[in-house]
PDB file of all heavy atoms in Angstrom:
ATOM      1  N   LEU A 107     102.811 141.946-113.028  1.00  0.00           N
ATOM      2  CA  LEU A 107     102.441 143.292-112.599  1.00  0.00           C
ATOM      3  C   LEU A 107     101.375 143.250-111.508  1.00  0.00           C
ATOM      4  O   LEU A 107     101.360 144.095-110.612  1.00  0.00           O
ATOM      5  CB  LEU A 107     101.944 144.104-113.794  1.00  0.00           C
ATOM      6  CG  LEU A 107     102.974 144.380-114.887  1.00  0.00           C
ATOM      7  CD1 LEU A 107     102.353 145.190-116.013  1.00  0.00           C
ATOM      8  CD2 LEU A 107     104.193 145.094-114.324  1.00  0.00           C
ATOM      9  N   LYS A 108     100.488 142.263-111.565  1.00  0.00           N
ATOM     10  CA  LYS A 108      99.470 142.119-110.529  1.00  0.00           C
ATOM     11  C   LYS A 108     100.095 141.710-109.194  1.00  0.00           C
ATOM     12  O   LYS A 108      99.672 142.168-108.128  1.00  0.00           O
ATOM     13  CB  LYS A 108      98.424 141.087-110.949  1.00  0.00           C
ATOM     14  CG  LYS A 108      97.540 141.506-112.105  1.00  0.00           C
ATOM     15  CD  LYS A 108      96.560 140.396-112.457  1.00  0.00           C
ATOM     16  CE  LYS A 108      95.660 140.788-113.617  1.00  0.00           C
ATOM     17  NZ  LYS A 108      94.733 139.686-113.995  1.00  0.00           N
ATOM     18  N   GLN A 109     101.104 140.847-109.266  1.00  0.00           N
ATOM     19  CA  GLN A 109     101.725 140.334-108.050  1.00  0.00           C
ATOM     20  C   GLN A 109     102.787 141.273-107.482  1.00  0.00           C
ATOM     21  O   GLN A 109     103.132 141.166-106.298  1.00  0.00           O
ATOM     22  CB  GLN A 109     102.361 138.963-108.323  1.00  0.00           C
ATOM     23  CG  GLN A 109     101.374 137.864-108.663  1.00  0.00           C
ATOM     24  CD  GLN A 109     102.051 136.514-108.785  1.00  0.00           C
ATOM     25  OE1 GLN A 109     103.150 136.294-108.263  1.00  0.00           O
ATOM     26  NE2 GLN A 109     101.401 135.575-109.488  1.00  0.00           N
ATOM     27  N   GLN A 110     103.320 142.166-108.302  1.00  0.00           N
ATOM     28  CA  GLN A 110     104.410 143.050-107.863  1.00  0.00           C
ATOM     29  C   GLN A 110     104.017 144.512-108.066  1.00  0.00           C
ATOM     30  O   GLN A 110     104.640 145.243-108.850  1.00  0.00           O
ATOM     31  CB  GLN A 110     105.682 142.740-108.659  1.00  0.00           C
ATOM     32  CG  GLN A 110     106.128 141.295-108.619  1.00  0.00           C
ATOM     33  CD  GLN A 110     106.635 140.891-107.247  1.00  0.00           C
ATOM     34  OE1 GLN A 110     107.244 141.683-106.531  1.00  0.00           O
ATOM     35  NE2 GLN A 110     106.403 139.638-106.872  1.00  0.00           N
ATOM     36  N   PRO A 111     102.997 145.004-107.364  1.00  0.00           N
ATOM     37  CA  PRO A 111     102.548 146.388-107.576  1.00  0.00           C
ATOM     38  C   PRO A 111     103.603 147.433-107.212  1.00  0.00           C
ATOM     39  O   PRO A 111     103.609 148.521-107.780  1.00  0.00           O
ATOM     40  CB  PRO A 111     101.322 146.500-106.665  1.00  0.00           C
ATOM     41  CG  PRO A 111     101.528 145.444-105.621  1.00  0.00           C
ATOM     42  CD  PRO A 111     102.208 144.314-106.331  1.00  0.00           C
ATOM     43  N   ASP A 112     104.502 147.100-106.283  1.00  0.00           N
ATOM     44  CA  ASP A 112     105.531 148.063-105.886  1.00  0.00           C
ATOM     45  C   ASP A 112     106.486 148.367-107.030  1.00  0.00           C
ATOM     46  O   ASP A 112     106.980 149.497-107.160  1.00  0.00           O
ATOM     47  CB  ASP A 112     106.323 147.540-104.684  1.00  0.00           C
ATOM     48  CG  ASP A 112     105.482 147.488-103.419  1.00  0.00           C
ATOM     49  OD1 ASP A 112     104.423 148.144-103.398  1.00  0.00           O
ATOM     50  OD2 ASP A 112     105.884 146.798-102.457  1.00  0.00           O
ATOM     51  N   VAL A 113     106.758 147.347-107.859  1.00  0.00           N
ATOM     52  CA  VAL A 113     107.636 147.547-109.013  1.00  0.00           C
ATOM     53  C   VAL A 113     107.005 148.552-109.970  1.00  0.00           C
ATOM     54  O   VAL A 113     107.662 149.458-110.482  1.00  0.00           O
ATOM     55  CB  VAL A 113     107.898 146.213-109.735  1.00  0.00           C
ATOM     56  CG1 VAL A 113     108.693 146.444-111.023  1.00  0.00           C
ATOM     57  CG2 VAL A 113     108.648 145.260-108.826  1.00  0.00           C
ATOM     58  N   VAL A 114     105.703 148.399-110.181  1.00  0.00           N
ATOM     59  CA  VAL A 114     104.982 149.285-111.094  1.00  0.00           C
ATOM     60  C   VAL A 114     104.915 150.697-110.526  1.00  0.00           C
ATOM     61  O   VAL A 114     105.157 151.687-111.231  1.00  0.00           O
ATOM     62  CB  VAL A 114     103.558 148.758-111.345  1.00  0.00           C
ATOM     63  CG1 VAL A 114     102.811 149.686-112.296  1.00  0.00           C
ATOM     64  CG2 VAL A 114     103.612 147.352-111.905  1.00  0.00           C
ATOM     65  N   LEU A 115     104.596 150.823-109.235  1.00  0.00           N
ATOM     66  CA  LEU A 115     104.435 152.136-108.621  1.00  0.00           C
ATOM     67  C   LEU A 115     105.733 152.931-108.635  1.00  0.00           C
ATOM     68  O   LEU A 115     105.723 154.150-108.808  1.00  0.00           O
ATOM     69  CB  LEU A 115     103.937 151.984-107.179  1.00  0.00           C
ATOM     70  CG  LEU A 115     103.584 153.279-106.448  1.00  0.00           C
ATOM     71  CD1 LEU A 115     102.492 154.035-107.191  1.00  0.00           C
ATOM     72  CD2 LEU A 115     103.158 152.999-105.017  1.00  0.00           C
ATOM     73  N   LYS A 116     106.867 152.247-108.474  1.00  0.00           N
ATOM     74  CA  LYS A 116     108.155 152.941-108.489  1.00  0.00           C
ATOM     75  C   LYS A 116     108.496 153.444-109.890  1.00  0.00           C
ATOM     76  O   LYS A 116     109.028 154.545-110.056  1.00  0.00           O
ATOM     77  CB  LYS A 116     109.270 152.028-107.990  1.00  0.00           C
ATOM     78  CG  LYS A 116     110.631 152.710-107.933  1.00  0.00           C
ATOM     79  CD  LYS A 116     111.699 151.813-107.348  1.00  0.00           C
ATOM     80  CE  LYS A 116     113.040 152.542-107.288  1.00  0.00           C
ATOM     81  NZ  LYS A 116     114.112 151.680-106.714  1.00  0.00           N
ATOM     82  N   ALA A 117     108.187 152.635-110.899  1.00  0.00           N
ATOM     83  CA  ALA A 117     108.520 153.005-112.274  1.00  0.00           C
ATOM     84  C   ALA A 117     107.477 153.907-112.906  1.00  0.00           C
ATOM     85  O   ALA A 117     107.800 154.754-113.735  1.00  0.00           O
ATOM     86  CB  ALA A 117     108.703 151.747-113.129  1.00  0.00           C
ATOM     87  N   VAL A 118     106.206 153.736-112.494  1.00  0.00           N
ATOM     88  CA  VAL A 118     105.122 154.538-113.061  1.00  0.00           C
ATOM     89  C   VAL A 118     104.270 155.072-111.902  1.00  0.00           C
ATOM     90  O   VAL A 118     103.206 154.537-111.600  1.00  0.00           O
ATOM     91  CB  VAL A 118     104.244 153.706-114.023  1.00  0.00           C
ATOM     92  CG1 VAL A 118     103.333 154.620-114.822  1.00  0.00           C
ATOM     93  CG2 VAL A 118     105.101 152.870-114.952  1.00  0.00           C
ATOM     94  N   PRO A 119     104.724 156.130-111.230  1.00  0.00           N
ATOM     95  CA  PRO A 119     104.013 156.649-110.061  1.00  0.00           C
ATOM     96  C   PRO A 119     102.687 157.315-110.420  1.00  0.00           C
ATOM     97  O   PRO A 119     102.408 157.608-111.580  1.00  0.00           O
ATOM     98  CB  PRO A 119     105.003 157.666-109.481  1.00  0.00           C
ATOM     99  CG  PRO A 119     105.807 158.108-110.664  1.00  0.00           C
ATOM    100  CD  PRO A 119     105.951 156.885-111.521  1.00  0.00           C
ATOM    101  N   ASP A 120     101.886 157.553-109.398  1.00  0.00           N
ATOM    102  CA  ASP A 120     100.561 158.148-109.598  1.00  0.00           C
ATOM    103  C   ASP A 120     100.623 159.515-110.269  1.00  0.00           C
ATOM    104  O   ASP A 120      99.699 159.901-110.983  1.00  0.00           O
ATOM    105  CB  ASP A 120      99.838 158.286-108.251  1.00  0.00           C
ATOM    106  CG  ASP A 120      99.327 156.953-107.736  1.00  0.00           C
ATOM    107  OD1 ASP A 120      99.209 156.023-108.543  1.00  0.00           O
ATOM    108  OD2 ASP A 120      99.050 156.840-106.528  1.00  0.00           O
ATOM    109  N   CYS A 121     101.698 160.252-110.051  1.00  0.00           N
ATOM    110  CA  CYS A 121     101.775 161.590-110.646  1.00  0.00           C
ATOM    111  C   CYS A 121     101.821 161.520-112.163  1.00  0.00           C
ATOM    112  O   CYS A 121     101.523 162.503-112.845  1.00  0.00           O
ATOM    113  CB  CYS A 121     102.975 162.366-110.107  1.00  0.00           C
ATOM    114  SG  CYS A 121     104.574 161.821-110.746  1.00  0.00           S
ATOM    115  N   ILE A 122     102.173 160.349-112.717  1.00  0.00           N
ATOM    116  CA  ILE A 122     102.185 160.144-114.166  1.00  0.00           C
ATOM    117  C   ILE A 122     100.889 159.500-114.636  1.00  0.00           C
ATOM    118  O   ILE A 122     100.281 159.940-115.618  1.00  0.00           O
ATOM    119  CB  ILE A 122     103.389 159.278-114.596  1.00  0.00           C
ATOM    120  CG1 ILE A 122     104.707 160.039-114.359  1.00  0.00           C
ATOM    121  CG2 ILE A 122     103.278 158.872-116.063  1.00  0.00           C
ATOM    122  CD1 ILE A 122     105.942 159.242-114.709  1.00  0.00           C
ATOM    123  N   THR A 123     100.461 158.453-113.931  1.00  0.00           N
ATOM    124  CA  THR A 123      99.290 157.704-114.377  1.00  0.00           C
ATOM    125  C   THR A 123      97.973 158.394-114.037  1.00  0.00           C
ATOM    126  O   THR A 123      96.989 158.243-114.760  1.00  0.00           O
ATOM    127  CB  THR A 123      99.292 156.294-113.766  1.00  0.00           C
ATOM    128  OG1 THR A 123      99.304 156.409-112.326  1.00  0.00           O
ATOM    129  CG2 THR A 123     100.504 155.516-114.220  1.00  0.00           C
ATOM    130  N   ASN A 124      97.945 159.122-112.923  1.00  0.00           N
ATOM    131  CA  ASN A 124      96.716 159.798-112.499  1.00  0.00           C
ATOM    132  C   ASN A 124      97.005 161.258-112.164  1.00  0.00           C
ATOM    133  O   ASN A 124      96.923 161.667-110.996  1.00  0.00           O
ATOM    134  CB  ASN A 124      96.099 159.094-111.285  1.00  0.00           C
ATOM    135  CG  ASN A 124      95.680 157.675-111.582  1.00  0.00           C
ATOM    136  OD1 ASN A 124      94.868 157.445-112.474  1.00  0.00           O
ATOM    137  ND2 ASN A 124      96.238 156.728-110.854  1.00  0.00           N
ATOM    138  N   PRO A 125      97.371 162.062-113.144  1.00  0.00           N
ATOM    139  CA  PRO A 125      97.711 163.461-112.868  1.00  0.00           C
ATOM    140  C   PRO A 125      96.513 164.240-112.342  1.00  0.00           C
ATOM    141  O   PRO A 125      95.377 164.041-112.772  1.00  0.00           O
ATOM    142  CB  PRO A 125      98.160 163.991-114.234  1.00  0.00           C
ATOM    143  CG  PRO A 125      97.464 163.106-115.226  1.00  0.00           C
ATOM    144  CD  PRO A 125      97.435 161.747-114.594  1.00  0.00           C
ATOM    145  N   ILE A 126      96.766 165.121-111.398  1.00  0.00           N
ATOM    146  CA  ILE A 126      95.719 165.964-110.825  1.00  0.00           C
ATOM    147  C   ILE A 126      95.369 167.056-111.839  1.00  0.00           C
ATOM    148  O   ILE A 126      96.253 167.751-112.345  1.00  0.00           O
ATOM    149  CB  ILE A 126      96.193 166.580-109.496  1.00  0.00           C
ATOM    150  CG1 ILE A 126      96.518 165.461-108.501  1.00  0.00           C
ATOM    151  CG2 ILE A 126      95.136 167.507-108.909  1.00  0.00           C
ATOM    152  CD1 ILE A 126      97.146 165.948-107.215  1.00  0.00           C
ATOM    153  N   GLN A 127      94.095 167.212-112.123  1.00  0.00           N
ATOM    154  CA  GLN A 127      93.661 168.146-113.158  1.00  0.00           C
ATOM    155  C   GLN A 127      93.880 169.608-112.751  1.00  0.00           C
ATOM    156  O   GLN A 127      94.326 170.422-113.549  1.00  0.00           O
ATOM    157  CB  GLN A 127      92.186 167.910-113.488  1.00  0.00           C
ATOM    158  CG  GLN A 127      91.917 166.537-114.080  1.00  0.00           C
ATOM    159  CD  GLN A 127      92.711 166.288-115.358  1.00  0.00           C
ATOM    160  OE1 GLN A 127      92.786 167.148-116.240  1.00  0.00           O
ATOM    161  NE2 GLN A 127      93.318 165.110-115.456  1.00  0.00           N
ATOM    162  N   ASN A 128      93.552 169.940-111.513  1.00  0.00           N
ATOM    163  CA  ASN A 128      93.727 171.311-111.031  1.00  0.00           C
ATOM    164  C   ASN A 128      94.539 171.290-109.742  1.00  0.00           C
ATOM    165  O   ASN A 128      93.994 171.435-108.645  1.00  0.00           O
ATOM    166  CB  ASN A 128      92.359 171.976-110.797  1.00  0.00           C
ATOM    167  CG  ASN A 128      91.551 172.094-112.083  1.00  0.00           C
ATOM    168  OD1 ASN A 128      91.967 172.775-113.023  1.00  0.00           O
ATOM    169  ND2 ASN A 128      90.400 171.436-112.126  1.00  0.00           N
ATOM    170  N   PRO A 129      95.849 171.091-109.873  1.00  0.00           N
ATOM    171  CA  PRO A 129      96.691 170.955-108.677  1.00  0.00           C
ATOM    172  C   PRO A 129      96.762 172.242-107.870  1.00  0.00           C
ATOM    173  O   PRO A 129      96.617 173.341-108.395  1.00  0.00           O
ATOM    174  CB  PRO A 129      98.050 170.582-109.259  1.00  0.00           C
ATOM    175  CG  PRO A 129      98.044 171.160-110.634  1.00  0.00           C
ATOM    176  CD  PRO A 129      96.627 171.012-111.116  1.00  0.00           C
ATOM    177  N   LYS A 130      97.031 172.058-106.582  1.00  0.00           N
ATOM    178  CA  LYS A 130      97.168 173.187-105.671  1.00  0.00           C
ATOM    179  C   LYS A 130      98.372 172.938-104.773  1.00  0.00           C
ATOM    180  O   LYS A 130      99.010 171.878-104.834  1.00  0.00           O
ATOM    181  CB  LYS A 130      95.896 173.354-104.842  1.00  0.00           C
ATOM    182  CG  LYS A 130      95.508 172.145-104.020  1.00  0.00           C
ATOM    183  CD  LYS A 130      94.196 172.361-103.311  1.00  0.00           C
ATOM    184  CE  LYS A 130      93.815 171.166-102.425  1.00  0.00           C
ATOM    185  NZ  LYS A 130      93.679 169.918-103.188  1.00  0.00           N
ATOM    186  N   ILE A 131      98.683 173.931-103.947  1.00  0.00           N
ATOM    187  CA  ILE A 131      99.799 173.800-103.019  1.00  0.00           C
ATOM    188  C   ILE A 131      99.647 172.523-102.193  1.00  0.00           C
ATOM    189  O   ILE A 131      98.583 172.237-101.651  1.00  0.00           O
ATOM    190  CB  ILE A 131      99.867 175.021-102.083  1.00  0.00           C
ATOM    191  CG1 ILE A 131     100.205 176.292-102.866  1.00  0.00           C
ATOM    192  CG2 ILE A 131     100.893 174.800-100.981  1.00  0.00           C
ATOM    193  CD1 ILE A 131     101.614 176.351-103.403  1.00  0.00           C
ATOM    194  N   GLY A 132     100.715 171.745-102.105  1.00  0.00           N
ATOM    195  CA  GLY A 132     100.694 170.506-101.346  1.00  0.00           C
ATOM    196  C   GLY A 132     100.486 169.269-102.185  1.00  0.00           C
ATOM    197  O   GLY A 132     100.811 168.158-101.747  1.00  0.00           O
ATOM    198  N   ASP A 133      99.943 169.422-103.399  1.00  0.00           N
ATOM    199  CA  ASP A 133      99.733 168.273-104.274  1.00  0.00           C
ATOM    200  C   ASP A 133     101.059 167.828-104.900  1.00  0.00           C
ATOM    201  O   ASP A 133     101.992 168.628-105.047  1.00  0.00           O
ATOM    202  CB  ASP A 133      98.739 168.617-105.386  1.00  0.00           C
ATOM    203  CG  ASP A 133      97.317 168.756-104.873  1.00  0.00           C
ATOM    204  OD1 ASP A 133      97.022 168.194-103.799  1.00  0.00           O
ATOM    205  OD2 ASP A 133      96.508 169.434-105.540  1.00  0.00           O
ATOM    206  N   VAL A 134     101.122 166.566-105.274  1.00  0.00           N
ATOM    207  CA  VAL A 134     102.306 166.018-105.948  1.00  0.00           C
ATOM    208  C   VAL A 134     101.998 165.914-107.435  1.00  0.00           C
ATOM    209  O   VAL A 134     101.011 165.284-107.837  1.00  0.00           O
ATOM    210  CB  VAL A 134     102.673 164.628-105.389  1.00  0.00           C
ATOM    211  CG1 VAL A 134     103.855 164.038-106.157  1.00  0.00           C
ATOM    212  CG2 VAL A 134     103.009 164.729-103.899  1.00  0.00           C
ATOM    213  N   VAL A 135     102.839 166.537-108.253  1.00  0.00           N
ATOM    214  CA  VAL A 135     102.618 166.572-109.698  1.00  0.00           C
ATOM    215  C   VAL A 135     103.873 166.121-110.441  1.00  0.00           C
ATOM    216  O   VAL A 135     104.964 166.060-109.875  1.00  0.00           O
ATOM    217  CB  VAL A 135     102.236 167.994-110.164  1.00  0.00           C
ATOM    218  CG1 VAL A 135     100.955 168.453-109.485  1.00  0.00           C
ATOM    219  CG2 VAL A 135     103.363 168.985-109.885  1.00  0.00           C
ATOM    220  N   TRP A 136     103.703 165.827-111.716  1.00  0.00           N
ATOM    221  CA  TRP A 136     104.827 165.445-112.576  1.00  0.00           C
ATOM    222  C   TRP A 136     105.539 166.686-113.065  1.00  0.00           C
ATOM    223  O   TRP A 136     104.929 167.608-113.585  1.00  0.00           O
ATOM    224  CB  TRP A 136     104.314 164.636-113.762  1.00  0.00           C
ATOM    225  CG  TRP A 136     105.326 164.413-114.850  1.00  0.00           C
ATOM    226  CD1 TRP A 136     105.305 164.929-116.106  1.00  0.00           C
ATOM    227  CD2 TRP A 136     106.504 163.609-114.771  1.00  0.00           C
ATOM    228  NE1 TRP A 136     106.394 164.495-116.815  1.00  0.00           N
ATOM    229  CE2 TRP A 136     107.151 163.683-116.022  1.00  0.00           C
ATOM    230  CE3 TRP A 136     107.075 162.833-113.758  1.00  0.00           C
ATOM    231  CZ2 TRP A 136     108.336 163.005-116.296  1.00  0.00           C
ATOM    232  CZ3 TRP A 136     108.264 162.150-114.029  1.00  0.00           C
ATOM    233  CH2 TRP A 136     108.884 162.232-115.274  1.00  0.00           C
ATOM    234  N   ASN A 137     106.853 166.721-112.888  1.00  0.00           N
ATOM    235  CA  ASN A 137     107.677 167.824-113.352  1.00  0.00           C
ATOM    236  C   ASN A 137     108.535 167.314-114.506  1.00  0.00           C
ATOM    237  O   ASN A 137     109.547 166.642-114.295  1.00  0.00           O
ATOM    238  CB  ASN A 137     108.567 168.355-112.223  1.00  0.00           C
ATOM    239  CG  ASN A 137     109.328 169.612-112.617  1.00  0.00           C
ATOM    240  OD1 ASN A 137     109.532 169.883-113.793  1.00  0.00           O
ATOM    241  ND2 ASN A 137     109.761 170.377-111.633  1.00  0.00           N
ATOM    242  N   ALA A 138     108.116 167.607-115.733  1.00  0.00           N
ATOM    243  CA  ALA A 138     108.821 167.109-116.914  1.00  0.00           C
ATOM    244  C   ALA A 138     110.235 167.666-117.019  1.00  0.00           C
ATOM    245  O   ALA A 138     111.137 166.999-117.527  1.00  0.00           O
ATOM    246  CB  ALA A 138     108.031 167.457-118.175  1.00  0.00           C
ATOM    247  N   ALA A 139     110.433 168.878-116.533  1.00  0.00           N
ATOM    248  CA  ALA A 139     111.762 169.497-116.613  1.00  0.00           C
ATOM    249  C   ALA A 139     112.781 168.779-115.728  1.00  0.00           C
ATOM    250  O   ALA A 139     113.959 168.678-116.062  1.00  0.00           O
ATOM    251  CB  ALA A 139     111.682 170.972-116.231  1.00  0.00           C
ATOM    252  N   GLU A 140     112.309 168.267-114.579  1.00  0.00           N
ATOM    253  CA  GLU A 140     113.198 167.600-113.631  1.00  0.00           C
ATOM    254  C   GLU A 140     113.121 166.076-113.711  1.00  0.00           C
ATOM    255  O   GLU A 140     113.852 165.378-113.011  1.00  0.00           O
ATOM    256  CB  GLU A 140     112.855 168.046-112.202  1.00  0.00           C
ATOM    257  CG  GLU A 140     113.012 169.538-111.950  1.00  0.00           C
ATOM    258  CD  GLU A 140     114.450 170.000-112.020  1.00  0.00           C
ATOM    259  OE1 GLU A 140     115.347 169.153-111.763  1.00  0.00           O
ATOM    260  OE2 GLU A 140     114.683 171.191-112.312  1.00  0.00           O
TER     261      GLU A 140
END
Side-chain angles (χ1 to χ4, degrees):
L107 296 180
K108 291 179 180 178
Q109 294 186 21
Q110 305 291 325
D112 292 343
V113 174
V114 180
L115 186 59
K116 182 176 181 180
V118 193
D120 285 341
C121 74
I122 293 178
T123 58
N124 297 302
I126 300 173
Q127 296 302 315
N128 297 297
K130 58 184 182 300
I131 294 290
D133 289 338
V134 177
V135 300
W136 169 248
N137 187 338
E140 299 293 334

